[in-house]
Amino acid sequence: MDLVDALKKWNDLGEELFSPFAPDFDDATFQAKEDAFRFRATELAAWTQRELGPDFEVLFVTSNDAWQWARPPWSR
C-alpha cells in the first residue's frame, strides 16, 4: 500500500467514526476505534514526514487534542 492509499483508508475510518451519519458504537468500541485512529495518525504523520523530507513540517493532533510535529524542527 502506498502513502496516498493509506491516507485515504485512514480518512475513511475517520468518516466512519466522526460523521453525523456514523453508526452507533457502544462506548468501549468507539474508544477502541478512536484510539486506533489516533495511533494510525501518528504513524501516517511520520510516514508523510519521511516522504516529504526535512524541508517540510508535518503536524498531527494527539489524543489530548494538542498539535505535535512528526519530527520537531529542532531535531533536524
Side-chain angles (χ1 to χ4, degrees), residues 20-67:
F21 306 108
D24 288 330
F25 297 111
D26 62 72
D27 289 344
T29 301
F30 179 82
Q31 189 61 54
K33 285 183 173 282
E34 184 177 9
D35 290 346
F37 177 80
R38 292 188 184 272
F39 180 77
R40 186 64 176 149
T42 304
E43 293 176 330
L44 290 170
W47 186 359
T48 301
Q49 184 68 68
R50 285 190 306 272
E51 291 290 322
L52 293 175
D55 293 334
F56 292 86
E57 292 182 2
V58 176
L59 294 146
F60 64 97
V61 178
T62 66
S63 59
N64 61 356
D65 293 327
W67 286 97

